[in-house]
Amino acid sequence: MIDAFSDMRRLSPLQRAAFAVREMRVRLDRAEAAPREPIAVVGIGCRFPGGATSPDRFWELLRDGRDGVGDVPPDRWDADRLCAPDPTRPGPILTRRGAFLDEVDQFDAGFFELSDSEADSLDPQQRVLLEVAWEALETAGCAATRLRDSRTGVFIGIGQNDYARRRLLSGAINRIGPYDGTGNGFCFAAGRLSFVFGLRGPNLAVDTACSASLVSTHLACQSLRLGECDLALAGGVQLILSPEVTVFLSRAGALSPDGLCRTFDVGANGYGRGEGCGVVVLKRLSDAVRDADDILAVLRGSAVNHDGPSSGLTVPSAPAQTALIREALDRAALQPDDIDYIEAHGTATALGDPIEVGGLEAVFGERDAGNPLRLGSVKTNIGHLEAAAGVAGLIKTVLALRHETIPAHLHLTEPTPRVRWDQWPLEVVTRERPWPATDRPRLAGVSAFGFSGTNAHVVVEEAPARARAAATVSRGRQVVSVSAPSAAALSTLATRYAARLRATPAVTLGDVSYTATTGRAEWAERVCVVASGVAEAAAQLAAAGAGRAAAGVVRGRGTRAPRVGWAHGAASTWAAAAPALYAGEPEFRAAVDAVVAAAGVDATPAALVGVAAAATTDPVVAAV
């Protein structure tokens, strides 16, 4: 047979036609498969209320059934002056409570190479986005510094401009500086991520109100499927820095006086505002499998639509929500009975909750009684994060799949009578519920409905089962290298590494070494430990963090990115070490094999290494 039909001139007309048909079929199959390509979630970063400053801490909040609601911080506004329970009085805020982040004024400008004056102009939403995006990439084992000039896209939901009102609209015109525009425009919140990290893919800031971050996730998935980018950061951010929008929402009757979201409860009387930031790192599933990434979950399908002519601009539409979910399921090639759980939008209003459940009933109402649809909403834990609400629900769902547990939906004491709870198999998960893996993939839907009428829904599947990739070579001792931009940061990081190793003693030290070296940025301040096990490495890193000398610990300052090389001294040492290196180091073995093949000799490579080393009294440097 002619190899790959490369010489077309030797083919008959019929063979050429058959070849052309086959090529067209391959291209057609690829084109048809592209819109349905699953998207892998390979990294997560977050800042949510209640001390949820990482995915692990967020899961602890959910697992423990806690909420992050508290009093309005005094640096936001004067609650005594502005809060009043009388909605008829002009300009009151009906609540003194909400779900807020701590220390949003803190930012390490030098880490991102920003001057103090430019950092001061930056909306804190931009600051927290930089931090959370960096952390999300690190959880993906993808150092931000190694993405420069890559086809990485950025899709960010954002909708509040409280800081801009302070900087640009305060009336103090003389205070406006050269960075205030780029520090406060929505487009710059997304654009700055690409600028700082050197990313070349698409870059969008999205404002569809409460659905913005889930719409951003949908757009990121589309961009990946179209091949516009090979990696994507998707998410949203929301900070509440001034009272004006809260006054509007109070006047509109949207807010709960106690700051709690009582979603699906008879006492649902509005939502509690919340703030936070969430970013997910996305990749085509085929690429993630090829690269042996740690896949956290898979996004099977998504859809976006609008309520259209509902009974009011801000009033949700059950038919639109029904159509949205059906479209997402169709794109995922799934049936309603395949879905186990819905992470609801759950606005906690007497109008919105029944409409949402009614939309779900039209899709899922015919399911078998033994397969009830489970329902919950993260708003009961962290309030309504508006532009960041959708990604918060997505992250909760990914973590629930990972931990095989559906966390409890809070603040539901008596279900609202406006929902037909007994008409179809539906269960609000008010107590933590196991969600174990079975012989079929576990699946969930995540909804976000915008105040402006724009809706989004994403179908999430558990990560595919696969054999654990052997990322590292088994050795008697491992080198764990940690670096940071400053000595103080290095001490803190070494201490955190030690705590993490002590908390997860079953982890493989080789994996820790690999990820610390390849998955994090390289900084000037460095510490390396040489250990034979996790416990020893933890003790050494704890000593380094505390500034104590310890065996196997080297701490110093580098002036350039580290490089790895081989160096051996005396011939006797080389003769003993070379066979072990050949047996245990794949890169070393490949180099020796290449030399042996080029020489055309029959002796085993390991024997040749030993003979070559023993035959010389000169120092040996390099592989062979």
Side-chain angles (χ1 to χ4, degrees), residues 20-112:
V21 169
R22 189 180 69 173
E23 287 296 300
M24 291 175 63
R25 170 54 60 186
V26 170
R27 293 180 183 180
L28 180 60
D29 289 345
R30 288 174 180 170
E32 290 178 344
R36 298 181 184 274
E37 167 103 32
I39 302 299
V41 180
V42 297
I44 294 175
C46 65
R47 292 278 196 287
F48 294 138
T53 56
S54 69
D56 285 347
R57 291 191 177 183
F58 184 37
W59 178 250
E60 290 172 4
L61 177 90
L62 297 169
R63 180 199 61 200
D64 296 344
R66 295 184 284 115
D67 67 54
V69 177
D71 293 334
V72 176
D75 61 345
R76 307 304 175 91
W77 57 78
D78 184 349
D80 290 334
R81 182 175 66 86
L82 292 178
C83 295
D86 182 6
T88 64
R89 185 170 71 84
I93 293 177
L94 299 183
T95 179
R96 297 171 178 268
R97 293 171 61 76
F100 296 91
L101 299 184
D102 299 324
E103 299 181 335
V104 296
D105 58 331
Q106 301 300 303
F107 180 62
D108 186 352
F111 184 88
F112 295 103

Side-chain angles (χ1 to χ4, degrees), residues 523-548:
W523 300 100
E525 295 291 337
R526 301 167 189 166
V527 62
C528 292
V529 304
V530 182
S532 58
V534 169
E536 183 181 5
Q540 292 168 326
L541 287 164
R548 301 191 309 268

Side-chain angles (χ1 to χ4, degrees), residues 315-381:
V315 178
S317 164
Q321 293 173 12
T322 296
L324 173 81
I325 297 170
R326 283 178 172 159
E327 184 175 358
L329 288 172
D330 179 66
R331 291 179 177 174
L334 295 169
Q335 298 299 317
D337 284 353
D338 296 327
I339 303 300
D340 304 311
Y341 171 76
I342 293 290
E343 174 60 27
H345 179 68
T347 51
T349 62
L351 178 65
D353 288 353
I355 289 176
E356 181 170 8
V357 176
L360 292 172
E361 182 179 3
V363 179
F364 300 101
E366 299 301 321
R367 64 198 293 129
D368 184 79
N371 181 30
L373 181 69
R374 270 86 192 198
L375 193 62
S377 176
V378 75
K379 290 179 178 62
T380 62
N381 299 95

Side-chain angles (χ1 to χ4, degrees), residues 356-586:
E356 181 170 8
V357 176
L360 292 172
E361 182 179 3
V363 179
F364 300 101
E366 299 301 321
R367 64 198 293 129
D368 184 79
N371 181 30
L373 181 69
R374 270 86 192 198
L375 193 62
S377 176
V378 75
K379 290 179 178 62
T380 62
N381 299 95
I382 58 175
H384 188 355
L385 271 56
E386 297 169 11
V391 75
L394 175 61
I395 292 173
K396 170 192 169 181
T397 305
V398 171
L399 295 176
L401 286 166
R402 293 284 284 182
H403 292 276
E404 299 188 354
T405 302
I406 302 175
H409 174 100
L410 308 183
H411 310 307
L412 176 56
T413 56
E414 181 181 348
T416 174
R418 300 187 181 190
V419 170
R420 307 191 318 160
W421 300 106
D422 59 347
Q423 298 300 306
W424 61 289
L426 176 67
E427 175 192 347
V428 180
V429 183
T430 56
R431 294 183 180 179
E432 181 182 288
R433 182 182 185 87
W435 194 9
T438 64
D439 57 354
R440 70 171 182 85
R442 292 167 297 146
L443 289 146
V446 181
S447 290
F449 308 134
F451 206 38
S452 64
T454 299
N455 310 309
H457 188 83
V458 175
V459 178
V460 188
E461 181 178 277
E462 65 177 298
R466 62 181 177 87
R468 183 177 177 276
T472 57
V473 178
S474 177
R475 302 184 181 96
R477 299 180 72 78
Q478 297 280 352
V479 177
V480 179
S481 175
V482 180
S483 69
S486 68
L490 181 60
S491 295
T492 300
L493 189 59
T495 301
R496 289 179 177 175
Y497 262 88
R500 181 68 173 180
L501 291 178
R502 286 168 175 162
T504 55
V507 72
T508 302
L509 189 58
D511 289 343
V512 175
S513 172
Y514 177 85
T515 302
T517 303
T518 65
R520 298 183 64 97
E522 298 157 345
W523 300 100
E525 295 291 337
R526 301 167 189 166
V527 62
C528 292
V529 304
V530 182
S532 58
V534 169
E536 183 181 5
Q540 292 168 326
L541 287 164
R548 301 191 309 268
V553 178
V554 178
R555 179 166 179 167
R557 181 176 178 83
T559 56
R560 63 180 181 180
R563 295 183 296 174
V564 176
W566 298 108
H568 291 278
S572 58
T573 303
W574 170 249
L581 287 170
Y582 181 84
E585 300 292 344

